[in-house]
Amino acid sequence: QQQVKQSPQSLIVQKGGISIINCAYENTAFDYFPWYQQFPGKGPALLIAIRPDVSEKKEGRFTISFNKSAKQFSLHIMDSQPGDSATYFCAAPSGGYNKLIFGAGTRLAVHP
Amino acid sequence: GAGVSQSPSNKVTEKGKDVELRCDPISGHTALYWYRQSLGQGLEFLIYFQGNSAPDKSGLPSDRFSAERTGGSVSTLTIQRTQQEDSAVYLCASSLAPAGLSTDTQYFGPGTRLTVL
């Protein structure tokens, strides 16, 4: 059974700083690593995902870095803003179909 | 278009009672998932429906939990003889997910917050 270990559990960053969240996985049938963002009282929503024929994917201030040999991937939020304050979940595929195993989540607080 | 909807948004029940939680997926989405999110915890997979295939029930924590999906659309998660440890937010998600292909985006509903007294 796939396990995904996410760290840190919580993170406090000053406005304008860089937020970094890390995840490690065990095994995967194929490479697809999404990050979901969840605001209080809402369901998670896809933020960014990588299908790593590349080692990095950038969308605006959000970047996923992927290290296949280490079985690790990370989310970097550049120029963090108070509006980025949310819980972030990484995920990795488990099994041969559309089933994701999620990390425990990181609660990010960006202080103005 | 409309997103995934769930009802009720909040449910308070007494220990030992049965509860039913409803999920209306996005129209046309063939895959439907149920997750449980306990306070401060991640998303725990419960069950997965894909089209007319047999559901993947591997995440259901006990035989008190069951789910069905009628007509390939609406799904109901039933918890029998609720226990206090069942208190959590139950999230439903759907995706286009053609069988056998790589993952599609999962679209989550707002969840049902279940409190068992």
Side-chain angles (χ1 to χ4, degrees):
Chain A
Q1 173 74 339
Q2 172 74 278
Q3 288 194 10
V4 178
K5 295 182 179 181
Q6 183 173 347
S7 63
Q9 188 174 36
S10 62
L11 181 61
I12 298 174
V13 174
Q14 293 298 313
K15 178 181 176 182
I18 302 174
S19 304
I20 301 174
I21 306 171
N22 300 298
C23 280
Y25 64 96
E26 293 185 346
N27 295 291
T28 181
F30 54 92
D31 293 337
Y32 171 74
F33 301 96
W35 287 87
Y36 280 75
Q37 179 188 54
Q38 184 181 30
F39 292 105
K42 305 290 186 182
L46 180 67
L47 176 66
I48 185 173
I50 190 169
R51 290 179 169 84
D53 49 352
V54 296
S55 61
E56 183 176 285
K57 180 174 181 180
K58 183 176 181 179
E59 290 184 359
R61 297 184 293 108
F62 301 91
T63 300
I64 299 177
S65 297
F66 178 68
N67 184 331
K68 188 168 184 175
S69 62
K71 296 184 178 180
Q72 295 177 346
F73 57 108
S74 61
L75 175 68
H76 294 230
I77 306 174
M78 311 300 288
D79 187 26
S80 299
Q81 299 296 312
D84 298 330
S85 298
T87 299
Y88 293 82
F89 295 95
C90 62
S94 177
Y97 44 73
N98 197 353
K99 179 178 172 180
L100 294 173
I101 301 300
F102 286 85
T106 296
R107 182 171 292 186
L108 171 66
V110 181
H111 290 178
Chain B
V4 177
S5 61
Q6 293 185 245
S7 60
S9 56
N10 282 283
K11 177 70 176 179
V12 180
T13 191
E14 294 180 347
K15 178 182 174 181
K17 300 284 188 182
D18 297 352
V19 295
E20 286 189 351
L21 311 180
R22 176 186 169 105
C23 172
D24 285 84
I26 293 173
S27 178
H29 281 193
T30 59
L32 186 147
Y33 309 79
W34 284 97
Y35 295 90
R36 179 168 69 177
Q37 185 174 24
S38 302
L39 185 62
Q41 300 297 311
L43 302 172
E44 177 188 5
F45 167 79
L46 297 177
I47 189 169
Y48 162 70
F49 295 89
Q50 172 60 59
N52 296 320
S53 302
D56 178 350
K57 305 178 181 180
S58 60
L60 295 178
S62 77
D63 59 8
R64 296 187 295 105
F65 288 73
S66 63
E68 63 178 19
R69 188 178 185 190
T70 54
S73 181
V74 172
S75 178
T76 302
L77 176 69
T78 301
I79 309 173
Q80 296 179 311
R81 305 181 302 283
T82 52
Q83 303 295 312
Q84 289 184 332
E85 60 263 30
D86 299 334
S87 296
V89 175
Y90 290 82
L91 291 161
C92 173
S94 70
S95 71
L96 283 171
L101 300 183
S102 59
T103 56
D104 283 337
T105 301
Q106 294 187 24
Y107 295 86
F108 284 81
T112 294
R113 181 175 297 277
L114 175 64
T115 303
V116 182
L117 302 177

